[in-house]
């Protein structure tokens, strides 16, 4: 269940716009931030808040890259695999991340800290190869820089 | 060589921070808006943009003024103005740089464009990867509102407009106009085939005019300095204004640079992007994002303007120049681009949903050395099928594939005869 306070603030936000469903992405993000991902229960809660059916929400939740319908780690690492990053060593970057974290693309570390996911061009081709961690961009990357970033995040967790 | 061309959109660009409202005003900012609100009818705005030949900078190059003119005089209210900041074309990052350089230039452009549409509601649609840009825009919109440039009775006149920032959750197709409108309404972002056009029935069935970030940023300058001045900025007869080119790939200085429309490709690469690294030779570039055609060596000196490129069967697209050198495998690059499109297809119509994975598999076989002669006509035929899809996504998606065969058929054949990628 969503905490009453969060529910109330979302309801207030929804009441302030012309059409509730225009806030669908914002509400999905807020609920996802609370649970860590958009669980089945979360989909129903979002639907309920917006006066939509769970199916209508599901249709959008499964469509978007940054809505997670499965449990993800505290830090979601999106590795850009589009053409400029591909040219600038994306493959060895992925190999390094997989080796370092001991998981494959699409998996989460057993401690629940990191998830590895691919992503389409993130618009940082001037800083290729680049990745996003919780929507923050890092690049251009080398194996050493990745090690530094991961160590820092592990230290903060 | 320093860039000595007039800087219009980047005139206030700083290395480490945005231009504040005060700084933007010192450079003449919001004077165009004051002038428009006092002395222009909404039709005058439309005419000024038509006269300046302002073409959409998001890839489609539709005339911005004509778009406004398609709104009927008696069209219903409320009308909407939408700023498309969903730049997701691979290789393209100019809108991100522009928002971080001078957000008020975009806001002012959007207000004037909104005035030209008699719009009272504005929305900036932005991709989730640009969260920092979204925060900047929200903050600066608030500052503009406090200064009286937004909200009710702008600068003491009858015109009112509010702007909100709408965050996307990330899909390439949301950059397509009709898909974006669906996304804004909380519907699945499938494109819709016009008519009705968005300027007739857009958001919530109301007239909606949608423009790219860079297109909007041009508007205050056109109003302030006039269409003739704007046209004189270009190097070509057919062109008008400047263009932000974002250069990436095999160049020494990847990044964004503002240059006159019509500047030659060779000049952009050699002078403004620091040239190619030692040992690298130019093989091809995609001139305007992933959905444009490879420009082979024979086009190395081409004028980067909409019309000259169109005349040789190419498109300027977004002006995102991705440079490939002689050591880069273009079959591999095209496979990567097709993978992108196959993944990002919204899946609504069959040619796109089924055709792109098919093409990807053919390219993957070629790249892996499992290719046969008959795969080449299959690629051509399948690419042709994609032109019968629902929106412009699929014809764009096969542009690299088609031009790969047009200009680099030998390279494709080498993959077949050597039974492996010759670059590995």
């Amino acid at each position: 269940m969503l905490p009453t306070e969060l529910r109330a603030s979302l309801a207030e936000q929804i009441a302030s716009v012309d059409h509730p469903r225009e806030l669908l992405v914002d509400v999905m993000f807020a609920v996802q931030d609370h649970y860590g991902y958009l669980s089945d229960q979360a989909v129903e809660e979002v639907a309920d808040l917006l006066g939509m059916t769970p199916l209508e929400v599901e249709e959008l939740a499964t469509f978007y890259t940054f809505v997670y319908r499965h449990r993800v780690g505290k830090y979601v690492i999106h590795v850009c695999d589009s053409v400029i990053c591909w040219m600038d060593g994306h493959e060895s970057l992925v190999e390094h991340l997989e080796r370092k974290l001991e998981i494959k693309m699409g998996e989460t570390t057993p401690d629940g800290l990191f998830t590895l996911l691919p992503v389409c061009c993130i618009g940082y081709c001037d800083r290729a190869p680049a990745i996003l961690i919780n929507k923050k961009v890092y690049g251009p990357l080398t194996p050493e820089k990745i090690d530094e970033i991961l160590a820092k995040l592990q230290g903060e967790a | 060589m320093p860039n000595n061309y007039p800087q219009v959109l980047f005139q206030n660009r700083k290395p480490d921070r945005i231009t504040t409202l005060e700084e933007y005003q010192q450079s003449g900012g919001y004077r165009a808006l004051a002038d428009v609100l006092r002395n222009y009818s909404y039709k005058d705005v439309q005419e000024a943009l038509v006269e300046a030949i302002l073409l959409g900078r998001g890839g489609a190059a539709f005339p911005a003024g004509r778009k406004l003119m398609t709104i009927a005089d008696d069209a219903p209210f409320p009308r909407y103005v939408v700023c498309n900041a969903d730049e997701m074309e691979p290789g393209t990052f100019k809108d991100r740089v522009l928002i971080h350089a001078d957000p008020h230039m975009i806001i002012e452009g959007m207000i004037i464009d909104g005035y030209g549409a008699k719009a009272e509601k504005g929305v900036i649609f932005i991709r989730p990867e640009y969260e920092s840009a979204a925060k900047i825009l929200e903050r600066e919109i608030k500052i503009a509102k406090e200064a009286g440039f937004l909200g009710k009775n702008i600068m003491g006149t009858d015109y009112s407009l509010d702007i909100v920032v709408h965050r996307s959750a990330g899909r390439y197709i949301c950059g397509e106009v009709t898909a974006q409108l669906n996304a804004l309404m909380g519907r699945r972002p499938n494109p819709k085939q016009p008519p009705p056009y968005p300027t007739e029935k857009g958001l919530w069935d109301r007239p909606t005019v949608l423009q790219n970030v860079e297109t909007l940023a041009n508007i205050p300058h056109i109003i302030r300095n006039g269409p003739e001045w704007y046209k004189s900025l270009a190097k070509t007869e057919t062109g008008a204004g400047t263009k932000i080119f974002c250069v990436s790939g095999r160049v020494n200085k990847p990044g964004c640079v503002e240059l006159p429309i019509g500047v030659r490709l060779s000049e952009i690469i050699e002078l403004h992007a620091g040239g190619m690294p030692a040992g690298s030779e130019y093989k091809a570039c995609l001139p305007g994002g992933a959905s444009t055609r490879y420009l082979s060596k024979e086009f190395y000196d081409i004028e980067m303007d909409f019309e000259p490129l169109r005349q040789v069967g190419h498109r300027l697209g977004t002006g995102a120049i991705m440079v490939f050198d002689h050591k880069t495998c273009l079959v591999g690059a095209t496979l990567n681009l097709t993978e992108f499109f196959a993944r990002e297809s919204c899946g609504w119509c069959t040619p796109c949903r089924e055709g792109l994975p098919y093409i990807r598999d053919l390219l993957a076989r070629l790249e892996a050395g499992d290719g046969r002669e008959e795969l080449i006509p299959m690629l051509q035929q399948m690419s042709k099928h994609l032109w019968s899809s629902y929106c412009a996504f699929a014809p764009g998606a096969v542009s690299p594939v088609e031009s790969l065969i047009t200009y680099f058929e030998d390279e494709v054949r080498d993959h077949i005869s050597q039974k492996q990628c010759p670059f590995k």
Side-chain angles (χ1 to χ4, degrees), chain A residues 17-78:
Chain A
V17 298
D18 295 340
H19 312 271
R21 60 188 299 159
E22 71 190 62
L23 287 179
L24 177 65
V25 168
D26 292 322
V27 175
M28 283 198 293
F29 276 160
V31 174
Q32 172 167 282
D33 283 348
H34 173 72
Y35 288 115
Y37 73 113
L38 208 69
S39 62
D40 291 349
Q41 187 199 333
V43 167
E44 289 187 17
E45 286 175 315
V46 169
D48 184 45
L49 273 162
L50 292 166
M52 295 166 72
T53 67
L55 186 64
E56 285 175 303
V57 174
E58 178 73 342
E59 194 176 53
L60 275 295
T62 53
F63 187 83
Y64 287 118
T65 308
F66 288 86
V67 176
Y68 310 120
R69 281 291 276 117
H70 294 280
R71 196 178 287 281
V72 289
K74 184 174 177 195
Y75 300 108
V76 182
I77 305 177
H78 281 280

Side-chain angles (χ1 to χ4, degrees), chain B residues 175-395:
Chain B
E176 200 276 344
V177 183
T178 56
Q180 186 161 116
L181 299 181
N182 272 333
L184 281 167
M185 293 186 287
R187 297 180 188 151
R188 195 177 193 275
N190 306 321
K192 278 197 292 195
Q193 218 165 32
Y197 286 91
T199 46
E200 186 192 340
K201 278 188 171 184
L203 277 181
W204 316 107
D205 281 343
R206 291 293 187 269
T208 303
V209 61
L210 185 143
Q211 303 284 12
N212 167 261
V213 168
E214 185 186 352
T215 315
L216 292 170
N218 274 286
I219 294 177
H221 305 287
I222 291 171
I223 300 290
R224 231 157 67 201
N225 304 303
E228 286 312 312
W229 164 86
Y230 189 71
K231 282 190 271 190
S232 75
L233 289 170
K235 279 199 154 193
T236 38
E237 275 297 307
T238 49
T242 63
K243 179 82 194 76
I244 299 180
F245 293 100
C246 36
V247 194
S248 62
R250 286 287 166 268
V251 290
N252 286 318
K253 270 175 49 195
C256 270
V257 54
E258 180 179 17
L259 299 168
I261 280 268
V263 66
R264 290 183 192 278
L265 174 62
S266 50
E267 181 183 328
I268 299 178
I269 293 174
E270 288 167 19
L271 300 181
H272 305 291
M276 295 182 63
S280 274
E281 277 170 43
Y282 178 87
K283 178 159 145 187
C285 80
L286 289 165
S291 36
T292 55
R293 293 160 58 84
Y294 289 113
L295 282 176
S296 59
K297 222 169 184 169
E298 61 185 290
F299 300 110
Y300 187 57
D301 275 325
I302 194 142
E303 294 164 319
M304 294 293 278
D305 176 11
F306 300 97
E307 190 52 29
L309 277 162
R310 200 187 60 81
Q311 278 173 9
V312 291
H314 284 266
R315 287 198 312 115
L316 182 63
T318 60
I321 303 171
M322 298 184 266
V323 182
F324 302 93
D325 72 354
H326 69 295
K327 289 177 279 188
T328 306
C329 173
L330 288 188
V331 174
T334 310
L335 171 60
N336 177 285
L337 293 162
T338 309
E339 180 72 55
F340 165 84
F341 286 115
R343 198 158 77 196
E344 289 300 304
S345 168
C346 80
W348 182 249
C349 75
T350 311
C352 185
R353 184 186 61 244
E354 305 294 331
L356 285 168
Y358 197 106
I359 292 172
R360 177 195 56 203
D361 290 348
L362 293 177
L363 289 166
R365 277 202 251 169
L366 284 166
E367 178 62 6
D370 293 334
R372 293 188 314 270
E373 192 65 25
E374 59 262 37
L375 262 53
I376 297 177
M378 281 167 86
L379 274 173
Q380 285 169 312
Q381 197 192 7
M382 192 51 81
S383 298
K384 239 182 238 156
H385 288 325
L386 265 80
W387 282 80
S388 51
S389 61
Y390 207 55
C391 75
F393 176 102

Side-chain angles (χ1 to χ4, degrees), chain A residues 79-156:
Chain A
V79 187
C80 175
D81 61 6
S82 289
V83 70
I84 298 299
C85 287
W86 166 82
M87 218 188 323
D88 283 337
H90 147 266
E91 213 173 275
S92 55
L93 197 77
V94 171
E95 277 167 21
H96 184 78
L97 277 163
E98 288 184 337
R99 207 171 37 240
K100 188 90 188 164
L101 296 172
E102 297 178 344
I103 53 169
K104 292 278 167 212
M105 253 315 166
E107 295 178 350
T108 300
T109 52
D111 60 4
L113 217 49
F114 297 103
T115 297
L116 267 184
L117 290 171
V119 72
C120 289
C121 183
I122 53 175
Y124 286 89
C125 315
D126 50 344
R127 290 165 65 180
I131 61 173
L132 284 177
I133 303 179
N134 291 2
K135 289 191 197 162
K136 186 174 184 295
V137 69
Y138 297 87
L141 290 171
T142 56
E144 296 74 41
K145 276 190 201 161
I146 289 186
D147 292 350
E148 263 173 53
I149 295 162
L150 293 181
K152 188 165 172 276
L153 293 176
Q154 267 159 341
E156 283 168 9

Side-chain angles (χ1 to χ4, degrees), chain B residues 9 12 31 55 57 134 162 195 312 317 337 374:
Chain B
L9 307 179
N12 299 318
R31 267 186 233 160
L55 305 181
R57 301 297 202 241
D162 267 313
V312 291
L337 293 162
E374 59 262 37

